Amino acid sequence: MQKLIIVGNLTRDPDSRTTMAGKQVCSFVVAVNRRPKVEGQPDADFFRVTAWGALADNCARYLVKGKKGCV
């Protein structure tokens, strides 16, 4: 089993919605800075994250653009 821990900043406010079945869904993007290959050239990786249910409700309530998050 592989494990990945993503720590970075949200690029925009989370997008919260409800499915037709009544389940809550929250999507957001986390930007993780890399070490620059060339001095002065910052680089980042962007990860799309989707949360469901009660976790989606908490993400929509507490996360905002620029806030640090850990997935």
Side-chain angles (χ1 to χ4, degrees):
M1 184 162 121
Q2 295 182 3
K3 185 187 237 184
L4 175 66
I5 298 174
I6 301 168
V7 179
N9 297 325
L10 272 68
T11 60
R12 61 177 182 258
D13 288 338
D15 177 33
S16 181
R17 60 194 179 281
T18 305
T19 65
M20 295 171 85
K23 297 246 182 196
Q24 178 116 10
V25 182
C26 184
S27 301
F28 54 94
V29 178
V30 177
V32 179
N33 292 329
R34 285 190 197 176
R35 291 186 189 145
K37 292 181 182 177
V38 178
E39 199 62 38
Q41 296 272 333
D43 200 9
D45 291 315
F46 298 90
F47 296 91
R48 286 184 224 137
V49 180
T50 304
W52 293 81
L55 182 60
D57 186 42
N58 286 335
C59 288
R61 185 176 299 155
Y62 297 112
L63 296 178
V64 293
K65 178 182 177 180
K67 193 167 190 174
K68 191 161 291 280
C70 178
V71 179

